[in-house]
Amino acid sequence: MTKRDAILNGIARAAELHHKLGFREQLKDGSRPMDIFAAIEALRIMVLFRPLDGLLGVYVPTPNSAGMLVTTQRDHHVQRFTAAHELGHHVLQHRTVSLDISVGYVGRGEKTGYDEQELEADSFAGEFMLPKWLIVAHARRQGWGVVELRRSEVVYQLSLRLAASYQATCYALASANLLTQREAGALAAKAPKESKQRTMYDVVPSSWRQDVWLLSDRDKGAQLLGSPEDFVVLNLEEHLASGYEWDIEPVPSTDFEVRKDDRAEPVDASLGGTVSRRVVVQGRAAPGRTTLRLEERRPWEGSDSALNSMEFKLALLGKEPVGLLRAERLMAA
Ligand SMILES: [Zn+2]
């Protein structure tokens, strides 16, 4: 098998599995990331999370079943991609135990000295997690075209919605021919911290490790997979002159802390009296799922007279802890 065959084979098997599991249909509205752990469960592969020493993952084929180990020492993005790589070994019927020190070929196939099975599994993982149709579905929902996708803060927001690392997302855009390899390389070299700082200029976090989600009404109904202390920035248009305001009281205080709540001065009163309201909330430390529902309404009226509303499903679960797979599948939510 040539290098090219290995790459094409990995891609083909990933596309077949999407089809077999009905994922393309389920995810076509761009509201959720790929559900890798649902795929692993559907194929009845045992998965265990362990603090692996110097390894990201291990695939163990056995005659009657198969199992994989995934590290607990990296974040959920790396865990998800590693699990997809190990799933690749399984789907591609690799018969030997694979001990994976690294997964994901930079720019797919550019790593020097390749191993055929590893290249195949990486190619599978890249296509399974970040296929072009899923990237396009998310970009379409957000209104991002090829011009926007050249901006690091846009790619960073895309990566959050795809529950993938920022760098993996940069290279996936190149694989999907939405960026050139060179553009992807230049974007990948930028630190996500810059994007976070640009989005959240008015709150200083204790560290910039946490992710910063910038949500708008294009994310209505979305299911977002993040980490316990992530920040959520909401820029809301508010029809204050007509008495409407966003009610942020329902932001559950057990799950979130409001870090900022500001209104900008109306620029022009002729714009129907709308003002920009900016709300920054941070998840509390405990991993959990929560639904964030906000309504724009007159404070003295009920929900049924709301002018606008937004609801997001947030699974701020972070990485999988030691043990069996947490019941974290988005589709069960
Ligand atoms: Zn491998």
Side-chain angles (χ1 to χ4, degrees):
M1 196 184 335
T2 66
K3 197 166 162 178
R4 186 180 148 77
D5 288 340
I7 292 170
L8 292 178
N9 200 34
I11 291 172
R13 295 291 91 76
E16 274 171 24
L17 189 56
H18 286 146
H19 181 73
K20 191 174 144 198
L21 298 174
F23 280 6
R24 196 160 171 165
E25 185 59 26
Q26 289 169 30
L27 302 176
K28 69 180 179 188
D29 69 350
S31 68
R32 290 180 290 161
M34 184 52 65
D35 198 345
I36 176 62
F37 294 116
I40 288 168
E41 277 206 334
L43 270 62
R44 298 178 191 283
I45 303 166
M46 179 82 164
V47 51
L48 268 176
F49 295 87
R50 286 276 180 272
L52 303 175
D53 194 17
L55 293 172
L56 291 181
V58 179
Y59 173 66
V60 186
T62 58
N64 303 315
S65 61
M68 67 169 78
L69 297 170
V70 175
T71 185
T72 51
Q73 292 175 322
R74 301 292 293 275
D75 69 15
H76 66 289
H77 295 154
V78 177
Q79 287 183 323
R80 285 164 51 82
F81 201 90
T82 302
H85 174 100
E86 307 310 338
L87 176 64
H89 283 305
H90 180 79
V91 171
L92 293 154
Q93 300 181 313
H94 295 163
R95 301 281 178 225
T96 52
V97 173
S98 178
L99 303 171
D100 295 306
I101 297 163
S102 68
V103 296
Y105 282 62
V106 173
R108 197 178 279 170
E110 283 185 353
K111 196 163 139 182
T112 51
Y114 81 100
D115 169 295
E116 194 177 274
Q117 290 199 355
E118 293 310 319
L119 182 59
E120 236 183 353
D122 268 334
S123 175
F124 174 93
E127 180 66 17
F128 193 79
M129 297 305 284
L130 302 167
K132 183 171 185 173
W133 57 262
L134 186 62
I135 293 171
V136 168
H138 280 264
R140 196 167 278 157
R141 185 186 180 98
Q142 298 294 331
W144 295 327
V146 283
V147 174
E148 285 79 17
L149 291 172
R150 293 200 184 98
R151 289 169 44 206
S152 56
E153 61 264 42
V154 170
V155 176
Y156 171 67
Q157 290 298 323
L158 174 66
S159 73
L160 295 181
R161 284 158 180 78
L162 293 166
S165 76
Y166 168 72
Q167 267 143 1
T169 305
C170 292
Y171 289 111
L173 286 165
S175 296
N177 294 317
L178 295 165
L179 291 179
T180 64
Q181 282 292 341
R182 211 181 133 167
E183 288 171 327
L187 274 181
K190 293 188 181 171
K193 184 181 166 186
E194 285 175 35
S195 299
K196 296 178 192 180
Q197 286 172 321
R198 270 200 292 273
T199 303
M200 198 172 66
Y201 48 81
D202 47 359
V203 174
V204 181
S206 54
S207 98
W208 285 101
R209 263 203 331 272
Q210 279 76 39
D211 280 313
V212 178
W213 299 78
L214 177 59
L215 302 186
S216 73
D217 56 2
R218 290 185 184 262
D219 294 293
K220 276 181 184 177
Q223 296 185 31
L224 309 166
L225 187 58
S227 295
E229 292 176 76
D230 282 359
F231 288 89
V232 175
V233 177
L234 296 152
N235 290 326
L236 306 165
E237 190 194 13
E238 200 163 57
H239 298 79
L240 203 56
S242 320
Y244 290 93
E245 56 182 290
W246 284 94
D247 181 11
I248 62 162
E249 282 295 313
V251 174
S253 58
T254 47
D255 300 330
F256 291 104
E257 183 185 353
V258 177
R259 297 290 303 270
K260 195 90 185 174
D261 181 11
D262 274 341
R263 285 192 179 95
E265 291 296 319
V267 182
D268 181 354
S270 66
L271 290 172
T274 65
V275 296
S276 299
R277 172 120 171 239
R278 182 177 163 84
V279 179
V280 180
V281 300
Q282 183 177 20
R284 303 258 186 200
R289 291 169 187 285
T290 185
T291 298
L292 194 53
R293 184 180 163 80
L294 301 173
E295 289 174 354
E296 186 189 11
R297 57 182 170 80
R298 292 188 168 115
W300 56 88
E301 291 177 347
S303 294
D304 49 355
S305 66
L307 187 65
N308 198 356
S309 66
M310 293 188 205
E311 190 172 293
F312 315 107
K313 285 186 177 156
L314 292 156
L316 300 183
L317 299 165
K319 67 180 178 182
E320 289 285 327
V322 171
L324 291 166
L325 181 65
R326 191 168 47 187
E328 66 110 76
R329 287 161 300 116
L330 287 173
M331 285 165 194

